[in-house]
Amino acid sequence: MKTVILEENCRMRVGDLPLPELEPDEVRIKVVSAGICSSDVPRAFEGGAHVYPLVMGHEMAGEVVICGAAATAEFALGDRVVVFPLLPCGRCGECQNKHYARCRSYDYYGSRRNGGFAQYLNVKSWNLLPLPNNLSFDDAALVEPVAVVVHALDRAGVLSSPGSSNSEIVIVGAGFLGLVAVQILHLLRPTTPVTLIDRNAYKLEIGAAAGAKTHLLASDADWQDFLNDSRSRFQVAIEATGVPDTFRRSVELACPGGRVMWMGNISAKLDLPQALVSSILRKELTILGTWNSSYDGRKPSDWTKVLDLMVQGFRPASLVTDFVGLDGLPGILERLYAHKQRIERHEILKAIVHPNKKD
């Protein structure tokens, strides 16, 4: 099968790999759509892979082409499915309590084992959910990152807590996750005031179209002017970039008694100055972390919530700016890395790979 292989740091190759033997509890899927995650960039260019060689790709959806002997009762040829990429150990205390994202010894498609940047993938049947008929494969490939956002918003108490519709929310970062958060809040909490901050005007325009009040803060001076305004304090501050500086900014943006949700996957060392820590104490802030999403097969979870949202018309693929085949994957990852390093500017909001289509 054709795939893209990360052979070592900074070296990818489009080539062929043999299809591994199908285990009894596995289903082989033809990967139709696979999202490129921001975490794939450091994995490819900053030594972030756990193993080499590696086929990346953990956001994916496809069609069943064959079932292992133990999976035939659940799936059939041609079924449309989405993949939960985390493989929990099933033995630790967190797994016993069904907090699988907190598993102490997990595996992961596209990170710790081969993933979806390939024409085919063998997947444990437990990790597959059937897709509603009205859902496209491109939307389905984005269930994973959208579930991450839903999990964070739930933990921040802005979706289900009494009075949450009156909470003023600020989201720092208008990347894919930040914009999805704006869209979900607009859909489920249309009266909730949402402010979106970013250094990219193009992304802020998308956020404004989804109902957010936007602020372009491209320099330290911009930030200082914004923070000097006494109105720039919020009950809930959500960090959605992973940049250490915005972790600090999120604390500054929270009002006394507020909540700070750290959602971004931090990209470097974070130092908290004494004065900032003192402000956490004096303002009696609640700082929350979030990681991945809840999943329990076909039982209710963040993943089933997202599928329900999509049935109701939520379409995250509307944010996708770039579509490529496997041949184009190394190039778009290189452009994303150049943008991250501020070597070149690329307005790539979200990219999807179609492994079985030509570029």
Side-chain angles (χ1 to χ4, degrees), residues 44-342:
F45 295 103
E46 297 173 3
H50 290 278
V51 295
Y52 297 100
L54 174 70
V55 176
M56 297 186 295
H58 60 271
E59 304 173 1
M60 53 192 148
E63 294 178 345
V64 173
V65 295
I66 188 171
C67 296
T72 54
E74 298 178 84
F75 296 99
L77 179 66
D79 282 353
R80 305 165 71 250
V81 292
V82 62
V83 180
F84 176 66
L86 189 145
L87 291 149
C89 73
R91 300 180 300 274
C92 69
E94 297 299 335
C95 283
Q96 293 300 308
N97 289 320
K98 296 189 175 184
H99 298 307
Y100 299 114
R102 303 177 192 169
C103 174
R104 298 172 188 171
S105 182
Y106 64 89
D107 207 339
Y108 213 89
Y109 294 111
S111 170
R112 297 166 186 255
R113 64 163 64 186
N114 285 348
F117 294 157
Q119 290 181 307
Y120 298 93
L121 183 67
N122 294 349
V123 181
K124 299 293 184 183
S125 61
W126 180 82
N127 291 74
L128 295 174
L129 281 179
L131 296 178
N133 290 330
N134 69 334
L135 192 61
S136 73
F137 283 112
D138 288 340
D139 284 311
L142 302 177
V143 171
E144 193 274 341
V146 175
V148 168
V149 174
V150 167
H151 189 69
L153 294 177
D154 265 339
R155 282 189 50 72
V158 297
L159 290 186
S160 56
S161 297
S164 63
S165 61
N166 298 319
S167 297
E168 290 194 26
I169 300 169
V170 62
I171 300 169
V172 186
F176 181 73
L177 295 185
L179 289 171
V180 165
V182 170
Q183 290 184 340
I184 290 175
L185 288 167
H186 184 68
L187 178 66
L188 299 181
R189 292 288 184 269
T191 62
T192 298
V194 178
T195 295
L196 181 65
I197 296 171
D198 201 89
R199 60 185 176 91
N200 188 314
Y202 157 70
K203 294 178 181 179
L204 288 175
E205 289 175 4
I206 299 172
K213 182 179 180 181
T214 61
H215 291 275
L216 179 67
L217 304 182
S219 68
D220 288 340
D222 293 337
W223 269 105
Q224 201 54 54
D225 289 344
F226 186 74
L227 291 168
N228 285 340
D229 187 338
S230 61
R231 294 168 296 179
S232 300
R233 297 297 182 272
F234 304 86
Q235 282 92 2
V236 179
I238 300 173
E239 196 291 324
T241 72
V243 177
D245 188 56
T246 58
F247 280 78
R248 291 184 287 266
R249 301 293 192 193
S250 65
V251 172
E252 296 178 287
L253 289 166
C255 69
R259 284 161 283 160
V260 178
M261 169 53 67
W262 285 347
M263 179 173 67
N265 192 1
I266 193 162
S267 59
K269 181 181 179 182
L270 172 64
D271 291 318
L272 296 179
Q274 181 180 354
L276 191 67
V277 175
S278 180
S279 76
I280 295 171
L281 305 180
R282 289 176 178 273
K283 290 195 289 184
E284 296 191 327
L285 300 181
T286 299
I287 298 182
L288 297 157
T290 184
W291 186 255
N292 211 295
S293 55
S294 68
Y295 177 85
D296 191 16
R298 302 192 187 196
K299 297 177 183 177
S301 68
D302 293 327
W303 280 61
T304 59
K305 288 179 188 176
V306 171
L307 288 174
D308 287 343
L309 283 174
M310 291 184 178
V311 167
Q312 296 169 35
F314 181 65
R315 294 291 181 262
S318 64
L319 295 173
V320 176
T321 54
D322 294 77
F323 298 89
V324 295
L326 291 173
D327 291 325
L329 174 59
I332 202 165
L333 283 169
E334 288 169 2
R335 292 197 296 276
L336 287 166
Y337 181 64
H339 180 81
K340 179 183 177 183
Q341 297 298 311
R342 302 193 181 186

Side-chain angles (χ1 to χ4, degrees), residues 4-13 44-45 52 54 330:
V4 175
I5 307 158
L6 179 64
E7 296 186 317
E8 59 184 34
N9 190 40
C10 297
R11 188 157 71 91
M12 285 172 280
R13 176 176 63 86
F45 295 103
Y52 297 100
L54 174 70

